[in-house]
DNA sequence: ACTTAAATTTCGACTTGTCTAAACATTTTA
DNA sequence: TAAAATGTTTAGACAAGTCGAAATTTAAGT
């Protein structure tokens, strides 16, 4: 998978503070942010390489560059952490990504599992104004179609308590707020079950021998889901809006 | 103006026939198409270089590449012409550009003169499906906000007869359908005059000594425009919808 | 602690797109 | 039509991002 396309630049123009990172740099930042969220430790070269489908050698080079730009902290062999600035830039990218995902599903009616790749390209479009207007056009959504929170323009997140169906009590009701597994097969499976963020879920029974669950969606008829599925669906017991 | 950003590829996936040209290649094709429309002759290296803000040497290299890919006809020192395939690809890019321009003005309420640069980035997003759905979402528009026709998915154009205000008869009425000059200062000037595609224009008088015109817009009060302005506004005498 | 295993970095090297300077073609024009 | 001007191509070089192989560092195991 070699790099083939080249853009004509981070334009001269525009944003007050932190624009003008290359497509590739942005992808590294985003990846480091994701990886940082999954554990407290510094992010390893290999982990980044794996996520990006590149090689460790390549990552080392880019890491040095990002470090020079003060977007990450880096000591040889010690892995990396985002700086405050790096964090801000990374969240801005995530914000764009999730806003575009909302656009793709709500306005263009793409299915849940088709939007990620397109949003992956759209997120790099480089215009503060565009994002601001898109946000407004979409009605300032707080969560993306997968239930992940959309940071506001300052990078602040709406945090809601989220547990999985596995943690629910029998007869308890909750609102689905997202998924843990974001892969296409899983999303398609949920699509089929009509199990999407915002739906009301009541846990009717949990079977002892394999942990599978019987639930009712939006007060509808009984639906059977495996233990694995149940443990990958995030819900909020309280009444936060999705 | 050096190349800084690199995309991660024309993905493996998707479109039946002609996808997977680099950002840069697409820009060359689009430029060659534009230049081709302005005259019958083959397009010169220098003309391309000027439009793209690069140097002739650079253009020669890219031209060889495009020629190898059979997107253009090329004989040394003779300039280039698009092949049938190249033409198709180029129109597809123009289509995407103009659809995004409609989106930016109609949905995000960008002003006339702000949209070009953003559309310039959006046009390279690489998904047939996205364009198809965007087109539908926008109601299958036939013209962009500047009045330029949007080719359909087969590359067919809505052609309407277009002349300038200078060609109109006194007391004749016409619909504004577009502009010749697409530069920001001119567009802002028209914005100020409330002179945009779709408006009804009646030519009241044309002054002999400098060719300036007095018109009425949408049956409103008299507006004075210079000869230069008049000659850059396209109108359709017949009743085609814009 | 010492040796092996695993992860990381360095070292060329390649590709895309770019540039400058020099060589070469085509036009113009005198 | 030959000389000058203009336009185009070649050649060599460079930045960005990538890779494989070799060297280096850290971590693990006994």
């Amino acid at each position: 998978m070699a790099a083939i396309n080249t853009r004509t630049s981070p334009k001269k123009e525009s944003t007050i503070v932190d624009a003008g990172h290359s497509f590739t740099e942005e992808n590294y930042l985003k990846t480091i942010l994701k990886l940082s969220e999954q554990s407290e430790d510094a992010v390893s070269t290999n982990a980044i390489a794996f996520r990006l489908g590149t090689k460790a050698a390549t990552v080392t080079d880019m890491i040095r560059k990002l470090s020079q730009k003060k977007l990450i902290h880096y000591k040889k062999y010690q892995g990396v952490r985002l700086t405050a600035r790096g964090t801000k830039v990374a969240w801005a990218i995530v914000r764009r990504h999730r806003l575009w995902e909302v656009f793709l599903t709500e306005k263009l009616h793409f299915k849940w599992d088709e939007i990620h790749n397109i949003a992956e390209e759209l997120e790099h479009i480089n215009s503060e104004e565009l994002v601001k207007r898109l946000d407004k056009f979409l009605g300032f959504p707080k969560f993306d179609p997968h239930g992940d929170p959309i940071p506001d323009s300052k990078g602040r997140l709406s945090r809601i308590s989220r547990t999985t169906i596995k943690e629910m009590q029998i007869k308890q009701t909750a609102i689905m707020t997202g998924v843990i597994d974001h892969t296409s097969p899983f999303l398609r499976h949920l699509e089929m079950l009509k199990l999407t963020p915002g739906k009301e879920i009541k846990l009717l029974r949990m079977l002892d021998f394999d942990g599978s669950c019987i639930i009712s969606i939006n007060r509808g008829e009984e639906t059977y889901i495996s233990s694995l599925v149940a443990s990958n669906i995030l819900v909020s017991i309280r009444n936060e809006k999705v």
Side-chain angles (χ1 to χ4, degrees), chain A residues 22-198:
Chain A
S22 79
F23 207 101
T24 311
E25 287 168 342
E26 290 194 352
N27 279 335
Y28 275 85
L29 290 175
K30 199 181 52 162
T31 301
I32 295 168
L33 175 62
K34 289 251 172 73
L35 260 11
S36 298
E37 288 199 299
Q38 287 169 20
S39 104
E40 285 298 303
D41 303 342
V43 177
S44 79
T45 304
N46 257 356
I48 298 170
F50 181 75
R51 273 297 269 271
L52 252 25
T54 65
K55 293 302 161 66
T58 312
V59 173
T60 301
D61 288 343
M62 179 55 79
I63 268 175
R64 243 213 254 82
K65 193 175 156 198
L66 257 17
S67 172
Q68 231 145 42
K69 286 192 169 195
K70 310 266 194 207
L71 292 163
I72 57 179
H73 295 295
Y74 170 56
K75 275 204 287 292
K76 272 196 201 175
Y77 295 99
Q78 304 310 135
V80 301
R81 300 190 127 91
L82 292 168
T83 61
R85 244 185 82 216
T87 305
K88 215 179 116 204
V89 174
W91 275 117
I93 300 160
V94 171
R95 171 170 155 79
R96 300 199 290 257
H97 181 97
R98 293 183 180 167
L99 282 173
W100 280 115
E101 284 198 339
V102 172
F103 172 72
L104 293 172
T105 45
E106 306 250 306
K107 304 298 180 181
L108 300 194
H109 309 296
F110 272 97
K111 286 213 232 71
W112 231 26
D113 56 299
E114 304 173 316
I115 57 182
H116 188 77
N117 292 332
I118 299 177
E120 203 80 11
E121 298 198 43
L122 287 164
E123 74 190 1
H124 300 290
I125 304 282
N126 167 331
S127 163
E128 270 302 308
E129 189 62 18
L130 176 63
V131 175
K132 223 173 81 187
R133 285 172 186 259
L134 181 64
D135 191 24
K136 185 177 177 189
F137 176 61
L138 297 172
F140 306 105
K142 293 281 172 295
F143 298 91
D144 79 10
H146 305 107
D148 296 311
I150 298 174
D152 69 17
S153 56
K154 267 95 183 168
R156 283 180 300 246
L157 284 175
S158 296
R159 276 254 155 266
I160 53 175
S161 65
R162 306 206 292 183
T163 52
T164 69
I165 291 181
K166 297 292 292 185
E167 263 77 45
M168 289 172 68
Q169 308 294 315
I170 303 298
K171 301 254 163 104
Q172 198 170 36
T173 296
I175 304 290
M176 174 166 172
T177 56
V179 293
I180 294 176
D181 181 353
H182 282 69
T183 62
S184 262
F186 182 61
L187 296 181
R188 271 199 294 276
H189 181 61
L190 295 190
E191 181 85 22
M192 202 186 64
L193 296 172
K194 305 244 187 287
L195 208 40
T196 50

